[in-house]
Amino acid sequence: MEADFAAMLAIVNDAANAYRGVIPADRWHEPYMSTDELAREIAEGVVFWVAEQDGHLSGVMGIQDKGDVALVRHAYVASNTQRSGVGTSLLRHVESLVDKPVLIGTWAAASWAIDFYRRNGFTVVPSGHKDRLLRTYWSIPARQIETSVVLANGRWMEAQPLH
Ligand SMILES: CC(C)(COP(=O)(O)OP(=O)(O)OC[C@H]1O[C@@H](n2cnc3c(N)ncnc32)[C@H](O)[C@@H]1OP(=O)(O)O)[C@@H](O)C(=O)NCCC(=O)NCCS
């Protein structure tokens, strides 16, 4: 279990290098996720799933129950394994565990991540909803709200009144 913990952090901090120079400089820090932060996220109810290849961890993805919705949190695939379907398998798996709408928050500048979610059936929610959703379901600073987008799966989109 502790070995898994270290291996999970290694995947997160390796994959998060993709953000370097892309996300706002004032939000980048190294390591991107600390041991304490991962422990805190688990204590706050993020359930992590991992993918393995040849006995090594290749990806991690968390899902967090927030009552009327579930959030996908901390999706990371080892940089040498990206674009081979690991993220898609993990996303399908965590989505299959819940029967409520699923939301995902990511950096607006992480265009590859937005493409990844869109090709897996998620839609960027209209900006009018975004700030409210981030404030309601996430605990992130105002600066991160400004620079993030929220994507939702079909179940969430269907539940919205038509405008
Ligand atoms: C986003 C991420 C989790 C997706 O996992 P993955 O295993 O690479 O994704 P899959 O192989 O299942 O799907 C690949 C698709 O995702 C998108 N994608 C993933 N990585 C990409 C990259 N570096 N550049 C462009 N598109 C990318 C593309 O649409 C790609 O399809 P394509 O290869 O046919 O163009 C992974 O790439 C990652 O860890 N990236 C860095 C960290 C990150 O952005 N995490 C998201 C946090 S919300």
Side-chain angles (χ1 to χ4, degrees):
M1 189 61 203
E2 277 172 21
D4 261 4
F5 200 83
M8 283 167 63
L9 271 176
I11 300 269
V12 171
N13 289 319
D14 163 57
N17 273 315
Y19 298 147
R20 193 195 294 263
V22 175
I23 66 170
D26 58 319
R27 302 305 309 154
W28 169 258
H29 41 85
E30 217 169 334
Y32 188 73
M33 186 183 275
S34 66
T35 311
D36 285 353
E37 189 184 349
L38 179 57
R40 198 164 56 239
E41 290 291 75
I42 293 169
E44 285 176 4
V46 180
V47 176
F48 281 94
W49 292 83
V50 299
E52 273 188 0
Q53 272 179 1
D54 306 323
H56 294 287
L57 241 53
S58 57
V60 306
M61 200 174 288
I63 183 134
Q64 186 174 25
D65 187 359
K66 285 284 181 175
D68 48 350
V69 301
L71 309 181
V72 168
R73 305 288 316 281
H74 308 298
Y76 294 98
V77 171
S79 53
N80 61 6
T81 317
Q82 288 171 9
R83 301 184 94 160
S84 65
V86 173
T88 296
S89 306
L90 279 168
L91 183 59
R92 290 213 179 108
H93 176 69
V94 298
E95 238 192 311
S96 76
L97 300 173
V98 294
D99 56 9
K100 39 183 89 175
V102 176
L103 301 176
I104 295 169
T106 191
W107 298 107
S111 54
W112 64 87
I114 295 170
D115 285 351
F116 164 73
Y117 295 121
R118 292 183 69 192
R119 67 183 288 159
N120 280 296
F122 284 74
T123 307
V124 177
V125 306
S127 54
H129 285 290
K130 183 201 84 160
D131 289 9
R132 177 181 59 81
L133 292 171
L134 287 169
R135 277 197 303 266
T136 306
Y137 297 117
W138 278 263
S139 311
I140 55 173
R143 175 77 176 125
Q144 192 165 340
I145 291 180
E146 271 171 33
T147 51
S148 294
V149 292
V150 174
L151 295 105
N153 71 355
R155 227 175 261 139
W156 188 86
M157 300 302 287
E158 283 154 21
Q160 301 313 302
L162 292 173
H163 333 253

